[in-house]
Structures are given as C-alpha cells and as structure tokens.
Amino acid sequence: MSEVSKIVLFGATGSIGESTLKVLRKHAEKMQLVGIACHSSYRELLKIAREFEVPNLTIFDERAFEEAAKSPDLPEGITLNCGMNGLLHLATLPEVTHTLFAMVGVTGLRPALAAIRQGKTLILANKEILVMAGELITREAKKNGATLIPADSEHNAIHQCLNGTEKPELSRILLTASGGRFLNASLEEMENVEPEDALQHPNWDMGPKITIDSSTMANKGLEVIEARWLFDVSPRQIKVVIHPQSIVHSMVEFVDGSILAQLSPPDMTFAIQNAIFHPRRHQRIMETLDFTGELRLDFQPPDEHRFPCLRLARESLEAGGACPTAFNAANEVAVQAFIERKIPFLKIPTTIERTLEKMPSPGLNTLQEIQEADQIARKLAESSLTNA
Ligand code: NDP
Ligand code: MG
C-alpha cells in the first residue's frame, strides 16, 4: 500500500481553502492535513483543526494568535505559531510532502521558497507568488528538485493538456477567461461601478481580491504571467480567449495544429483534486458535465481597450525585470483602494499604468531584490492614488 501524503494548507479559511477541505474530506485515506494557516480567522481555523485533527497551526496576525492561544477550543497538544516564522515553520516541517498555497497576495513568497529549498511539492493557487518571482521560483525549483503543480483552474487545465509534451511540440497556450462581471459593459457603464457590483462573479464563488481582479481582467493578466513561468513559454505563445461559460478551462495548441482542451464544471474542487493527487486520478467528489441537455460553449477575442489591465500585464511581462512585480503590487494597492471606495473602478488600470511608467526596472535575482521592487511599486502606486 502506498504511503499517505502529508499536506500543509496555507489559507485554509479562504475560498480555495474551503474547496481543498472538501476534497480532503472525501479522500482522507490518501492525504493527511498536518498543517494549516490563516491570517486572522482563528475560530474557523480551530474548527478545521479539530475536524481534521491537524497538529500544526499558524495564525499570522498576532492578536488573533493570542486569542486562539487562550481559547477553550484550542485542541490539546497542538503546535500554534504566528507571523512569518509560523508560516516558515509549516513550510519546512520534515514530514510534509505537499504544500498548498492558497493565501491571497505576496505573503506566500518566502514560505514557498522555503518549501522549494526542501524539495517539496508545491501546489499553487496563490498566483501572486509566480507573478512576483516567477524566475526565482522556477530556477530554485529546478535546482532543488521541487515540483510545481498549478491549482489555478486554467493552469491546471494546461498542465493536464500538456501531460509531459516536449517543448518544441507546443505551439501556443489558449488561456480562457470568463470576461468577468462587465464582459459586455461599456466604458461609460464601468465608470460608475461600485465595489458591491464588482464583487459579484457570474460563474465563480471566490475571495474578494480575485473577484475584483476578474472584473477588471487583471486576473487574466496575472494568469498570463503565471503561465509564462509555469510552462516556460514566451509571452507571444500565450493567447487569451474569452469563454463566458467557464467550462473549457484552457486549451493547448500543438505544432501539428491539434488543440486539446480540459473541461469540467466551474468549481475549483476539480482543479484542486487534480493538482494535489497528480499524477494519479481519483474518484470525483461532485457531478461533472452532462451532455444530455443543452450545453453552449462560446468563444470571442478579448477587448483590451475596455480592459486595459490585460494589455498592461502583457506589456509588463514583455518588459521583464521588475515590471511584472510592479504590475502585481500596483494592482493590489489599487484594488484595496477601490474596495475602500477611495478610487473609482476605472482608476485601477490607471494606477497600474502610472506605476509602470515610473518604475525603475532592474533585473531581479534575489528574494531581497524582489521584495524591494514590490515596496517601491507600492509606494509609487500609493502616490498615484493620492495624485488622482
Ligand atoms: P480568500 O480571500 O478567500 O482567502 C485568503 C486566505 O488566505 C484566507 O484563508 C486568509 O486567512 C489567508 N491569508 C491571507 N493573508 C494571510 C497571511 N498573511 N498569513 C496567513 N494566511 C493568510 O482568497 P481565495 O481563496 O479566493 O484566493 C487565494 C489565492 O488563490 C489567491 O492568490 C487567488 O488569486 C488564488 N485563486 C483563487 C481562486 C478561487 O476560486 N478563489 C481561483 C484561482 C486562484 P483569513 O481567513 O484569516 O483572512
Ligand atoms: Mg484562474
């Protein structure tokens, strides 16, 4: 009998975390949860710890950590840590084989590098890690024999379609995008969008940051950058295709003209299950597509005029250096400001564009250089918000 794999879940209390727990609940005999982390939702984390009998917990926020430490709900004999050291502790637990990154933002970068340096398998939903530090992460993974498996649905689809294809046989990647909430909206209509409108996604139920990113299509921009690093392709080999139903999760075109696609319902459990058990396949946990009824699959090209974040992401990838890091940082600052009603919706791409214009762009080779570039871009973005 094969040994049970041991997994750490960063972002256990979020949307991807919840989908991951559904998969683990169904396949408990194949994969054991040995560590979980959240930012501050400690009650939820303790609940998960009890249900899955998780021995190692990290709560990033110090106040929430202190609350948890004195909570009567804290199971006995558990290791509880906080802050970055707590995340690094989980990433480097010797018994751990798999680490799943489902935190939002850039916090996952250091723990991801730590897990890579121990040759662990990384399952990546947390796309910001690859966007900020794709070159460093892929180089270190190669050097340390760590495996990177995408859990983002599009990249997981591409990973499945490629299935070990030799690089010269790959022609291009067709990255599908739902088009988000404002697919058919005019720029005038987008001018008055409120955060509540942008927080509704037609197909996917996700955390707030990625839902806003889908509505500006910055999410697809981040995914183009993510694909460049995961699959070692040039920016020109990645083409975004609008597919409003979110059923074809992406496609791969080979040099002989054949195109392979991966299809499943718009529910993250499919991609997560595939990623955590790769290269094996196990019984699905929910119903898949049914072709006995009507099923429409539509495709159309994206409109970069109404969705400039797509163009800005592509340009930042082509420019290289610190530009993708700056794209990500400026987007995070602008999305937060939009959620807090400090800027209008269409100011999100403007903030990114102004940041990229002013961003010094040296090559980024080390974690420190990446973190410095991230901080510079955040400051530039903040000042572009206030100089609106
Ligand atoms: P959510 O906002 O739903 O969840 C974020 C999770 O990260 C929460 O568990 C949160 O804890 C935790 N977290 C945030 N900051 C920290 C920190 N400093 N230390 C420890 N934990 C932290 O986000 P999603 O699940 O939607 O997204 C997670 C990632 O996956 C993002 O990178 C997103 O782009 C990507 N992704 C998401 C998809 C989706 O369907 N949701 C699809 C594809 C990719 P707390 O609850 O305490 O705040
Ligand atoms: Mg995606």
Side-chain angles (χ1 to χ4, degrees):
M1 217 181 86
S2 64
E3 230 177 77
V4 180
S5 304
K6 293 191 164 52
I7 189 166
V8 166
L9 174 54
F10 294 95
T13 52
S15 160
I16 291 283
E18 192 185 338
S19 297
T20 306
L21 296 176
K22 281 188 198 161
V23 174
L24 294 177
R25 211 169 263 130
K26 184 90 173 187
H27 291 291
E29 74 293 353
K30 298 183 200 78
M31 186 145 317
Q32 188 191 349
L33 196 54
V34 296
I36 46 177
C38 74
H39 180 267
S40 44
S41 312
Y42 75 90
R43 288 190 186 87
E44 185 58 28
L45 198 79
L46 294 181
K47 216 166 123 195
I48 299 167
R50 280 199 309 278
E51 180 190 344
F52 288 86
E53 298 179 2
V54 188
N56 300 285
L57 270 56
T58 291
I59 297 168
F60 191 84
D61 180 73
E62 208 173 321
R63 190 178 292 181
F65 159 79
E66 282 163 9
E67 291 293 325
K70 52 185 191 222
S71 163
D73 292 335
L74 182 70
E76 262 179 46
I78 265 187
T79 307
L80 178 65
N81 286 300
C82 79
M84 182 52 74
N85 283 341
L87 298 179
L88 294 171
H89 171 76
L90 292 183
T92 54
L93 285 168
E95 69 271 30
V96 165
T97 51
H98 293 64
T99 49
L100 196 156
F101 287 86
M103 294 184 287
V104 69
V106 301
T107 319
L109 180 54
R110 279 185 66 196
L113 270 176
I116 286 175
R117 288 178 178 147
Q118 298 211 347
K120 300 196 191 293
T121 295
L122 277 79
I123 296 150
L124 294 169
N126 196 176
K127 59 194 82 184
E128 297 89 342
I129 295 175
L130 279 167
V131 172
M132 268 187 92
E135 190 168 3
L136 177 67
I137 290 277
T138 49
R139 188 177 70 218
E140 287 290 314
K142 214 175 209 174
K143 196 166 110 192
N144 293 283
T147 309
L148 306 179
I149 315 252
D152 204 349
S153 54
E154 296 77 1
H155 305 76
N156 182 263
I158 296 159
H159 188 246
Q160 292 193 51
C161 294
L162 283 172
N163 195 23
T165 300
E166 296 292 328
K167 219 176 135 189
E169 295 179 3
L170 167 65
S171 175
R172 47 183 195 160
I173 282 170
L174 302 161
L175 191 70
T176 55
S178 69
R181 173 107 164 110
F182 307 119
L183 173 61
N184 298 313
S186 66
L187 276 172
E188 291 70 37
E189 285 164 330
M190 283 194 254
E191 248 164 34
N192 299 316
V193 161
E194 297 284 334
E196 296 74 38
D197 304 326
L199 283 166
Q200 310 280 331
H201 194 282
N203 305 341
W204 298 96
D205 181 12
M206 308 183 286
K209 159 77 172 35
I210 184 173
T211 307
I212 303 282
D213 284 350
S214 297
S215 70
T216 59
M217 291 200 71
N219 181 51
K220 211 46 55 179
L222 294 170
E223 290 185 355
V224 168
I225 303 173
E226 189 185 4
R228 183 264 172 268
W229 294 112
L230 277 171
F231 307 113
D232 191 20
V233 288
S234 75
R236 282 163 204 285
Q237 282 176 289
I238 307 167
K239 194 167 167 46
V240 173
V241 181
I242 301 287
H243 166 51
Q245 292 89 357
S246 300
I247 284 175
V248 173
H249 296 294
S250 276
M251 299 177 271
V252 169
E253 183 185 309
F254 299 93
V255 285
D256 63 3
S258 283
I259 298 173
L260 290 189
Q262 184 269 335
L263 286 72
S264 49
D267 187 294
M268 284 306 294
T269 54
F270 289 92
I272 293 168
Q273 176 166 331
N274 180 274
I276 64 180
F277 293 122
H278 176 80
R280 304 292 311 278
R281 289 185 188 271
H282 297 298
Q283 195 61 32
R284 60 179 162 74
I285 67 162
M286 59 187 290
E287 287 303 317
T288 190
L289 299 169
D290 176 7
F291 287 84
T292 57
E294 194 176 315
L295 181 67
R296 278 189 66 121
L297 301 175
D298 297 311
F299 301 93
Q300 66 190 67
D303 179 351
E304 289 192 357
H305 176 63
R306 282 185 303 125
F307 295 99
C309 289
L310 259 186
R311 168 180 60 81
L312 293 167
R314 195 171 30 75
E315 286 172 1
S316 74
L317 182 56
E318 275 165 9
C323 291
T325 306
F327 174 89
N328 178 60
N331 180 51
E332 271 189 38
V333 169
V335 169
Q336 191 54 37
F338 170 66
I339 290 176
E340 290 168 9
R341 296 175 198 279
K342 291 181 184 152
I343 58 166
F345 185 68
L346 291 179
K347 189 82 201 297
I348 297 175
T350 320
T351 305
I352 301 172
E353 186 146 35
R354 292 206 183 138
T355 304
L356 288 171
E357 278 162 10
K358 294 190 188 129
M359 184 70 193
S361 188
L364 302 181
N365 290 309
T366 64
L367 178 61
Q368 196 187 341
E369 285 167 358
I370 293 165
Q371 286 172 328
E372 279 167 14
D374 177 66
Q375 288 307 314
I376 293 170
R378 278 170 203 276
K379 287 203 184 97
L380 288 171
E382 295 282 356
S383 70
S384 129
L385 294 179
T386 45
N387 301 330

